[in-house]
């Protein structure tokens, strides 16, 4: 049986995947960090900036 923190972390990651908010590579290893309370606001900011940079680079390669 999962702990409540693990259940919440799983739901967060599922929502991120469903909405396409973060690429799969950036989501791995997050479940444990979220459940353990190891994600600071700075970590989230960096994560989303990395995602934006990677998406921009990906769009430039398609053009």
């Amino acid at each position: 049986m999962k702990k409540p923190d693990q259940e919440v972390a799983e739901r967060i990651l599922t929502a991120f995947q469903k909405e396409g908010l973060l690429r799969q590579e950036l989501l791995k290893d997050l479940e444990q960090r979220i459940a353990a309370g190891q994600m600071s606001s700075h970590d989230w900011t960096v994560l989303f900036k990395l995602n934006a940079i990677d998406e921009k680079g990906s769009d430039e390669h398609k053009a």
Side-chain angles (χ1 to χ4, degrees), residues 25-60:
E25 305 87 59
L26 295 174
L27 290 173
K28 73 180 171 178
D29 302 327
L30 273 184
E31 188 170 347
Q32 281 86 18
R33 291 184 69 199
I34 294 170
Q38 295 175 335
M39 292 292 292
S40 68
S41 59
H42 182 298
D43 293 331
W44 286 109
T45 300
V46 169
L47 192 64
F48 278 93
K49 284 184 177 183
L50 283 173
N51 191 70
I53 289 169
D54 289 344
E55 284 182 354
K56 181 180 177 186
S58 175
D59 289 343
E60 289 175 358

